[in-house]
Amino acid sequence: MESPAETKKPSVSNKTIIIVAVLVVAAVVAIAAMVIFSRKPDDKKIGYATEAKVMLDQDSLQAAMDEAVKNAAEGNVSLRYQNDAYSDDGTNFECRIINSASNIYDMYLTIFTDAQLTDQVFLSELVPPGSGFESITLDHTLDSGDHTVFVVLTQVDTDEDGQQVLKNQITHTMDFHVS
């Protein structure tokens, strides 16, 4: 006759089932967290500057497109601007800064008051080729007088994954005058 211990099949203990279930849940939570935190939210993308105006007429479009293709192939960045900007209050400046129609990339502008690029006074959103500003408002007021500012132009493209990537960057100076 068989003893009761010999006829029972070995069973998985409740502790083993709980441990496996906890490990499965932990793995699912870890994978979900990696997916959520590895994605960059759309609000991290640079948006388009709504105050930038189109500065092209219809007759200039084809010539600008031909020049844009040439500039991109050569890695050039074009900008149309007037070197002097004027303000009565030190915050609101009349100026002309245009992402040249001869560029193929959108760009954003950052303006600094110092050569070390630490005192930022303006940051635009994206400006498409052929668009630009006739006036800007600084983040903080400049004192009366003449100021040489450093304008950093950063061209941006979108890669095949939809992520924005920097293409080119140059710095030039402008003179801001506060009366």
Side-chain angles (χ1 to χ4, degrees):
M1 191 170 212
E2 294 180 319
S3 70
E6 293 174 341
T7 59
K8 277 188 159 181
K9 292 185 180 177
S11 66
V12 178
S13 73
N14 285 342
K15 284 183 181 180
T16 305
I17 292 173
I18 292 172
I19 291 172
V20 169
V22 167
L23 290 175
V24 168
V25 169
V28 169
V29 168
I31 291 170
M34 285 190 320
V35 169
I36 289 169
F37 292 117
S38 68
R39 284 198 278 162
K40 293 182 179 173
D42 287 340
D43 63 348
K44 298 249 182 192
K45 287 186 177 183
I46 302 168
Y48 282 92
T50 57
E51 65 276 10
K53 298 177 183 175
V54 175
M55 304 289 192
L56 286 179
D57 60 27
Q58 290 296 330
D59 296 333
S60 303
L61 289 175
Q62 186 59 48
M65 193 56 167
D66 293 343
E67 190 175 349
V69 170
K70 179 182 172 205
N71 278 344
E74 296 173 358
N76 294 333
V77 178
S78 294
L79 179 70
R80 293 180 53 205
Y81 69 100
Q82 292 175 334
N83 191 59
D84 295 292
Y86 298 93
S87 174
D88 292 328
D89 63 8
T91 302
N92 299 297
F93 283 82
E94 296 300 317
C95 62
R96 187 169 177 84
I97 305 173
I98 303 168
N99 182 3
S100 175
S102 64
N103 291 323
I104 63 170
Y105 300 114
D106 297 332
M107 72 170 48
Y108 65 90
L109 309 166
T110 314
I111 301 176
F112 299 90
T113 62
D114 62 326
Q116 295 76 26
L117 308 179
T118 59
D119 184 23
Q120 178 182 307
V121 292
F122 180 78
L123 174 64
S124 78
E125 293 183 291
L126 289 176
V127 179
S131 298
F133 302 97
E134 292 178 333
S135 64
I136 61 171
T137 300
L138 301 184
D139 296 337
H140 65 268
T141 304
L142 298 181
D143 294 332
S144 292
D146 299 323
H147 304 270
T148 298
V149 297
F150 298 83
V151 181
V152 178
L153 312 169
T154 306
Q155 289 184 323
V156 178
D157 194 15
T158 304
D159 67 13
E160 60 277 355
D161 296 328
Q163 299 297 313
Q164 292 175 327
V165 293
L166 302 182
K167 295 303 284 184
N168 297 302
Q169 190 172 61
I170 63 167
T171 302
H172 72 91
T173 60
M174 288 180 67
D175 294 322
F176 277 31
H177 308 281
V178 182
S179 52

